[in-house]
Amino acid sequence: MSYPARAVVDLAAVRANVRSLAAHAPTAQVMGVVKADGYGHGLLPTASAAIAGGATWLGAAQMDEALALRRGGIVGPRVLTWLYAPGAPLRDALDADIDVSVSAPWALRELADAARAAGRPARAHLKVDTGLGRNGLTPDDLASLLPEVLRLRAEGAVEVVGLWSHLAFADEPEHPTVKLQAEVFADALRTVEGAGVTLEVRHLANSAATLTAPGMHYDLVRPGIAVYGLSPVPQLGGPEDFGLVPAMTLEAELANVKSVPGRHGVSYAHHYVTPGDTVLGLVPLGYADGIPRHASGTQERPGGPVRVGGRTLGVAGRVCMDQVVVDLGPGATERAGDRVELFGTGHDGGPTAQDWAEVAGTISYEIVTRVGARVPRVHVDSEAAS
Ligand SMILES: *Cc1c(COP(=O)(O)O)cnc(C)c1O
């Protein structure tokens, strides 16, 4: 292996996480959300592992991602896609047997046109904005669009299989908007079902609601981050508290190790200065690889954590495009080529994506999703017979 860093993804962890999520939501089906290249873990391998763990649906924000699933040979499970602009390849989506979300009147019209062209009904999930203020039809727009929906249904162009929504504060289960959104969703369900539509799946819950709000599971839950073993509610519990195992380990080989004297500036602008004679290690991963520049370190405030030979050290100085430096300490015995870990399961006391998120002032989602395209993903299976 010539690349000196990699994101190792354990597919056994993905399978186990989906089994765990299914156990949290025993009355619902599970949609494994695999948008953004499976949250940076690799689209097809993680999608297959999610299915092996019991997911019967896959979710992808972008239509290209949904099409890539089918092109990649994932034909059994249902696939839902929900984020597109006018002129999207809806015909391709229908030909690939993909379910499509409808969030606006133009989307319904384009979907019906695509269905007529394809000569098969489109399976639509009406998305209602119950309070997130992002995508989706407002409840009023949903009510106004319903007659057109019913006409297209009668024509055979559009089957309405789902009604769905997304929560603004799922990660704060006690937040009053959670209950309010659930009430708006229940109203929207009454409106649609009252018009004579029999819905196959009603769905509202992301990872956080899957783990903390059983009343919101309905027929289908849509976990994303928890599929990859990270906690959506770190203030309430870590992965282990929810039966999850982080699937990605980001590791590298030290590209240089050298002794320097005290008061030696480290990395751009010398935000870190060695306190005394010491040994510096060079880690060949930088912001081009998704290491947040906000996780740079100074003397006062260590940067993002790096596990080196059983100890956890903070990034010293600025995170650069391709590399970061760690101060290995006086007398360190590490050599170039030694393995270091930026984050992983945390089981051995090592750093986690959540730790990096806290140093950088972000969420674990962003840490794993932004691992750069040039970092090889290596898929392993810790349960496979060797
Ligand atoms: C990303 C996304 C999810 C998954 O969210 P997590 O918090 O990662 O579980 C579910 N539904 C929608 C609409 C999404 O955009």
Side-chain angles (χ1 to χ4, degrees):
M1 203 173 300
S2 72
Y3 203 89
R6 65 209 64 84
V8 180
V9 176
D10 183 5
L11 298 173
V14 173
R15 287 197 303 274
N17 293 333
V18 174
R19 280 197 297 270
S20 228
L21 288 158
H24 275 95
T27 60
Q29 297 185 71
V30 177
M31 173 188 291
V33 176
V34 294
K35 61 192 181 188
D37 197 31
Y39 287 47
H41 292 66
L43 178 71
L44 292 173
T46 53
S48 300
I51 294 158
T56 51
W57 288 73
L58 295 170
Q62 298 283 356
M63 205 163 289
D64 280 0
E65 300 173 312
L67 290 166
L69 287 168
R70 293 299 195 219
R71 271 200 311 275
I74 295 180
V75 291
R78 296 279 284 277
V79 172
L80 174 65
T81 184
W82 58 78
L83 188 60
Y84 53 95
L90 287 165
R91 169 77 200 269
D92 293 347
L94 299 186
D95 286 342
D97 203 30
I98 291 167
D99 289 38
V100 178
S101 175
V102 169
S103 279
W106 62 261
L108 182 66
R109 281 193 303 274
E110 290 199 9
L111 189 60
D113 288 345
R116 293 184 194 106
R120 61 154 94 203
R123 289 195 302 268
H125 297 233
L126 301 176
K127 183 159 196 190
V128 55
D129 184 347
T130 54
L132 174 58
R134 202 173 70 177
N135 208 354
L137 295 149
T138 64
D140 285 351
D141 290 347
L142 174 66
S144 327
L145 196 61
L146 210 45
E148 180 64 10
V149 169
L150 296 175
R151 255 196 311 281
L152 293 169
R153 186 163 154 265
E155 180 197 321
V158 174
E159 276 175 43
V160 183
V161 297
L163 184 79
W164 73 304
S165 190
H166 196 45
L167 297 166
F169 280 95
D171 54 339
E172 293 178 39
E174 305 302 326
H175 197 278
T177 60
V178 176
K179 192 158 159 279
L180 286 174
Q181 283 196 256
E183 284 164 9
V184 176
F185 188 63
D187 275 348
L189 280 173
R190 276 191 289 277
T191 304
V192 172
E193 290 176 336
V197 176
T198 308
L199 295 164
E200 178 190 356
V201 283
R202 304 159 299 171
H203 48 111
L204 180 59
N206 60 0
S207 294
T210 301
L211 296 173
T212 66
M216 299 191 189
H217 290 168
Y218 286 100
D219 309 304
L220 178 66
V221 293
R222 303 188 310 270
I225 196 71
V227 167
Y228 309 98
L230 299 172
S231 172
V233 285
Q235 78 286 13
L236 300 182
E240 62 287 355
D241 298 306
F242 298 106
L244 305 171
V245 179
M248 184 190 288
T249 297
L250 184 64
E251 61 178 37
E253 276 84 53
L254 289 174
N256 199 359
V257 175
K258 66 184 178 207
S259 296
V260 296
R263 302 182 53 185
H264 197 299
V266 175
S267 191
Y268 292 129
H270 288 178
H271 283 276
Y272 181 88
V273 178
T274 57
D277 289 359
T278 192
V279 178
L280 299 178
L282 185 65
V283 179
L285 285 169
Y287 62 76
D289 307 300
I291 307 305
R293 200 160 167 279
H294 281 98
S296 297
T298 63
Q299 252 87 346
E300 295 74 40
R301 180 182 179 275
V306 179
R307 186 78 154 174
V308 184
R311 41 202 215 286
T312 300
L313 307 169
V315 165
R318 283 265 172 88
V319 173
C320 307
M321 183 182 292
D322 312 298
Q323 46 202 311
V324 300
V325 178
V326 289
D327 184 344
L328 300 171
T333 56
E334 277 77 24
R335 293 159 171 268
D338 283 1
R339 177 183 175 278
V340 303
E341 186 175 307
L342 285 81
F343 58 80
T345 61
H347 290 174
D348 50 1
T352 61
Q354 179 61 31
D355 294 332
W356 276 86
E358 284 166 22
V359 173
T362 183
I363 52 178
S364 62
Y365 294 66
E366 192 176 353
I367 298 297
V368 291
T369 303
R370 287 179 62 157
V371 171
R374 74 175 172 182
V375 178
R377 269 55 170 186
V378 178
H379 294 96
V380 300
D381 192 327
S382 63
E383 277 173 6
S386 50

